[in-house]
Amino acid sequence: MIDFDNDQDIKRLLRSVYKPVAPSPELKEQLLKRLTLEVSGAALRASYPLWERPKLWLPITVAVISGVIGYGAWLSLNVVPTLLP
């Protein structure tokens, strides 16, 4: 039985089985097109103004509205009773 504990033997066997393959020109061209599309799409997404990004302004708006409602409730419970005789 062959001993496969040596890393050099395993590397040698893998090199003998798997030969390097160069990608086809069509594949390279398709990858370049997809890469340029992804980069241009990322640049467009980054240039959107704030009001066109609801994932950013929606939680901020909800937090501000909740704060105003909470402050109003606190005022009604603490300030209004001191104003009444």
Side-chain angles (χ1 to χ4, degrees), residues 2 44-45 49 54 57 63 72-73 81:
I2 301 173
L44 287 176
R45 283 191 300 268
W57 62 263

Side-chain angles (χ1 to χ4, degrees), residues 13-80:
L13 288 173
L14 285 174
R15 283 190 195 124
S16 68
V17 173
Y18 297 106
K19 304 290 185 211
V21 177
S24 66
E26 293 87 14
L27 178 64
K28 288 181 181 180
E29 186 177 318
Q30 288 175 355
L31 287 175
L32 181 62
K33 285 180 184 177
R34 288 183 62 189
L35 181 63
T36 54
L37 284 174
E38 287 292 326
V39 169
S40 65
L44 287 176
R45 283 191 300 268
S47 65
Y48 284 141
L50 181 63
W51 59 86
E52 291 184 7
R53 291 188 271 174
K55 287 185 178 181
L56 180 64
W57 62 263
L58 188 63
I60 295 170
T61 306
V62 168
V64 168
I65 291 172
S66 299
V68 168
I69 291 171
Y71 184 67
W74 178 83
L75 278 178
S76 69
L77 291 174
N78 293 316
V79 175
V80 173

